[in-house]
Amino acid sequence: MKKYLLDSNVLIQAHRMYYPFDVVPGFWNKLIDLSDRELICSIDKVKKEICNTSTPDKLALWCVNDIKSDFFVNTSSCVDKYAEIALWVQSNQHFKQNAKDEFLATDLADPWLIAYAMKHNCVMVTHEVSQPNRKNKIKIPEPCIHFKIQYISTIQMFRELGETF
């Protein structure tokens, strides 16, 4: 069975815009359920992006208190795939150097998400869309396309899983 790997923007935008905890608790309960059934996960660097603030918001508290800690998988086993991605990024003449540097910044989750998806054959779940002509920023879809990693939206994931909330 497919495993779906959630980008930080799936959680952040759900919290801030589409499915706030106080209005759509079913969304968050469904994520917990899907995680418990090992159908979805995210990575340690996504948790760090969300929780690394001086004043934790409701999303950070949910990440720490509500969803099981193994939802956020460790990426240390993906260094080899990260190296492949870094090589592709640095040798790619399409992107400007500042876009390459930003994408490969040590704590940025994006390349590590892609590395984990490559290593563990996951489907990337992100709100980002391909912008093949963009040179000043590397978005998740571009490396996914290059490395043949499927990427979909949150709603597409729910449809593929046949889940509602």
Side-chain angles (χ1 to χ4, degrees), residues 72-86:
F72 294 102
V73 297
N74 188 301
T75 53
S76 61
S77 67
C78 303
V79 173
D80 57 334
K81 297 301 181 185
Y82 179 89
E84 285 182 46
I85 294 163

Side-chain angles (χ1 to χ4, degrees), residues 37-160:
R37 292 189 283 153
E38 299 182 357
L39 296 172
I40 65 170
C41 67
S42 194
I43 64 169
D44 48 6
K45 294 192 183 304
V46 164
K47 184 177 184 180
K48 186 174 182 180
E49 281 183 10
I50 293 169
C51 296
N52 200 15
T53 62
S54 58
T55 309
D57 62 9
K58 286 183 182 179
L59 178 58
L61 294 172
W62 181 85
C63 290
V64 172
N65 299 324
D66 296 323
I67 198 150
K68 290 182 183 173
S69 61
D70 62 359
F71 171 76
F72 294 102
V73 297
N74 188 301
T75 53
S76 61
S77 67
C78 303
V79 173
D80 57 334
K81 297 301 181 185
Y82 179 89
E84 285 182 46
I85 294 163
L87 184 63
W88 174 76
V89 166
Q90 291 298 358
S91 65
N92 192 312
Q93 298 301 309
H94 175 75
F95 299 109
K96 293 183 177 184
Q97 189 59 48
N98 63 336
K100 295 175 185 185
D101 294 343
E102 179 185 330
F103 185 77
L104 295 174
T106 308
D107 284 338
L108 184 69
D110 292 1
W112 290 100
L113 281 161
I114 297 162
Y116 190 88
M118 286 172 65
K119 184 120 186 156
H120 298 281
N121 199 28
C122 296
V123 176
M124 275 294 313
V125 182
T126 184
H127 288 292
E128 293 184 10
V129 294
S130 178
Q131 297 177 321
N133 296 325
R134 191 168 186 181
K135 296 178 182 208
N136 64 344
K137 186 154 183 81
I138 301 172
K139 295 293 208 171
I140 285 176
E142 274 49 68
C144 282
I145 291 166
H146 176 79
F147 291 105
K148 297 178 178 37
I149 299 165
Q150 182 184 4
Y151 67 96
I152 62 174
S153 70
T154 309
I155 297 300
Q156 287 173 296
M157 175 190 75
F158 282 117
R159 285 186 176 134
E160 284 190 11

